[in-house]
Amino acid sequence: MATPPGARGTARPATVNPHPATAKAPLVLSGANVVMPTGTVKDGSVTVNGTRIAATAPEHAQVIDVTDHWLLPGFVDIHNHGGGGASFTSGTPDDVVTGIHTHRLHGTTTLVASTVTGDMDFLAQRAGLLSELAEQGDIAGIHFEGPFISPCRKGAHSEELLRDPDPAEVRKLIDAARGKAKMVTLATELPGGIDSVRLLAEHGVIAAIGHTDATYEQTVEAIEAGATVATHLFNAMPTLGHRSPGPIAALLEDDRITVELINDGTHLHPASLQLAFHHAGASRVAFITDAMDAAGFGDGRYMLGPLEVEVSEGVARLVEGGSIAGSTLTLDRAFKRAVTIDRLPVEDTVAALSANPAKLLGMYDTIGSLEPGKYADLVILDTDFNLKGVMRRGEWVVNPQLG
């Protein structure tokens, strides 16, 4: 793996706290545009007491003036392969923690670690390692992207390691994850696909349709069997056709489906993003990074599973064949692009980055909004939507820089 010096792009406009500590006294962030589930509260405030958001501020609370800034709930990424030069599929536990921390520096306070296609025994071993980090609270769970995907739509996955979704092998991965498997991406049209969807649903694991060559009718069948997510909609699936609408139409039209979107300017044309928001509605979109090692790190050569990737000007492609190989996206950049280039309402963008994925994970009672009683996970942005501070569980990950 390449180790280019420094991260690409502009420097972070905030101070990183390498040893965060929960505030000893209650804290009030006042004067901000606070994005709540019911809308944006101007000149609003959020009180932090320990690890949680509090309903009222005691008299001795410290007050930080964040006038002319935005206060948002921490971002939730349900599809992320790594960052900071570290891979969730092949890195050591310390490497994985490096990748997690890299994304926290960019506002992602909750993250599901995604693996790429590999040998079944290897993936089971990785599941065991990642489940330990989930048990410690470092990640929210595990997402298996592959090996149960279509060779016709393999993207940056090793074709010789792909296999049909045999329910017994799907169960092997679930068991190896020790209750921490959150999602499995499947090409549900393959032999065993529908039975595997049913198995996942029975065990409370999200069945995601992706890297698929399914028809419209096959996709509808998978949804009826219990699939609830479209893995990076539009990418690694047949295009929308007027006679053969394929999976995209089925996934957009069904209210049971949450559609993942990679809003980095490379994976999707702005019109495709607008199409998804128009047809699915803001309540069914989840922005993801699909990030690989280079996120928050730099251009160079990397390994994605067994495949070599070249990252140039922030775009990751396989050295052999040139397929897009994940992204170098961070969710603060996805947010800024959504509101400044795509012109999406701030409230809809917050839903796609926080509330919707939190609900999908079954964690909305503790994360995904700035309501009292939930964890104090929050992001501070300036008027130009640049990141200025990150708090997770009441600890400053990025100390606020408000001058």
Side-chain angles (χ1 to χ4, degrees):
M1 185 196 314
T3 54
R8 66 177 294 273
T10 57
R12 286 189 301 274
T15 303
V16 176
N17 185 357
H19 303 291
T22 303
K24 292 187 173 71
L27 174 68
V28 178
L29 301 166
S30 69
N33 296 313
V34 182
V35 182
M36 300 293 290
T38 54
T40 297
V41 179
K42 297 185 181 300
D43 194 22
S45 65
V46 171
T47 299
V48 176
N49 196 347
T51 62
R52 302 275 179 165
I53 297 171
T56 58
E59 293 181 2
H60 63 283
Q62 177 189 1
V63 178
I64 297 179
D65 185 0
V66 287
T67 300
D68 295 328
H69 288 74
W70 291 87
L71 272 183
L72 319 175
F75 304 142
V76 181
D77 193 354
I78 60 172
H79 188 155
N80 187 315
H81 297 279
S87 167
F88 297 152
T89 299
S90 59
T92 66
D94 286 345
D95 290 335
V96 175
V97 171
T98 294
I100 294 165
H101 187 64
T102 297
H103 286 280
R104 286 183 187 171
L105 296 177
H106 293 274
T108 298
T109 53
T110 301
L111 179 151
V112 174
S114 302
T115 62
V116 297
T117 292
D119 176 84
M120 285 295 297
D121 289 337
F122 173 76
L123 288 176
Q125 181 270 330
R126 292 305 295 181
L129 183 153
L130 292 171
S131 66
E132 292 181 7
L133 292 171
E135 289 162 2
Q136 296 168 13
D138 293 313
I139 59 175
I142 307 165
H143 164 217
F144 298 100
E145 187 181 24
F148 311 115
I149 60 176
S150 172
C152 301
R153 306 287 174 176
K154 65 182 183 297
H157 292 256
S158 177
E159 184 168 355
E160 59 266 27
L161 294 174
L162 300 182
R163 57 184 63 216
D164 291 339
D166 179 346
E169 294 197 321
V170 174
R171 178 64 184 268
K172 177 180 178 179
L173 292 185
I174 296 174
D175 290 345
R178 303 201 301 262
K180 300 303 180 181
K182 286 292 185 180
M183 182 161 67
V184 178
T185 292
L186 307 160
T188 54
E189 75 279 7
L190 295 176
I194 297 300
D195 287 340
S196 293
V197 169
R198 294 193 181 103
L199 171 73
L200 291 168
E202 289 170 2
H203 285 81
V205 179
I206 297 163
I209 300 172
H211 288 275
T212 177
D213 203 41
T215 64
Y216 173 89
E217 290 77 14
Q218 288 171 326
T219 306
V220 169
E221 183 183 9
I223 296 170
E224 292 298 331
T228 56
V229 166
T231 294
H232 43 54
L233 186 74
F234 298 108
N235 296 113
M237 60 182 62
T239 57
L240 185 65
H242 65 291
R243 293 193 183 94
S244 179
I248 293 172
L251 294 165
L252 282 176
E253 72 183 9
D254 198 300
D255 289 343
R256 292 169 289 186
I257 295 293
T258 297
V259 298
E260 295 182 348
L261 298 177
I262 309 171
N263 192 26
D264 61 352
T266 298
H267 282 79
L268 293 176
H269 189 282
S272 297
L273 182 136
Q274 294 289 349
L275 177 71
F277 264 89
H278 177 75
H279 285 280
S283 65
R284 290 206 292 120
V285 173
F287 280 139
I288 61 165
T289 60
D290 194 16
M292 46 81 71
D293 310 19
F297 200 60
D299 290 352
R301 290 281 179 107
Y302 297 82
M303 297 302 296
L304 187 62
L307 303 178
E308 192 170 18
V309 176
E310 175 77 29
V311 179
S312 178
E313 297 183 353
V315 178
R317 293 185 180 276
L318 291 181
V319 171
E320 184 176 343
S323 293
I324 294 176
S327 84
T328 62
L329 187 63
T330 52
L331 284 183
D332 58 334
R333 288 168 44 209
F335 183 95
K336 183 171 182 177
R337 180 179 179 86
V339 297
T340 62
I341 295 176
D342 302 310
R343 301 295 180 182
L344 294 175
V346 169
E347 295 80 5
D348 289 353
T349 307
V350 168
L353 283 164
S354 301
N356 298 344
K359 291 173 182 177
L360 186 70
L361 295 174
M363 299 177 69
Y364 191 63
D365 58 333
T366 56
I367 63 171
S369 73
L370 297 177
E371 295 170 282
K374 295 191 177 184
Y375 282 122
D377 294 355
L378 57 87
V379 176
I380 303 175
L381 305 177
D382 65 16
T383 54
D384 294 321
F385 303 104
N386 298 308
L387 185 143
K388 290 294 183 177
V390 180
M391 177 182 283
R392 182 179 186 272
R393 307 296 196 264
E395 300 177 352
W396 288 115
V397 180
V398 177
N399 290 323
Q401 183 172 316
L402 306 173

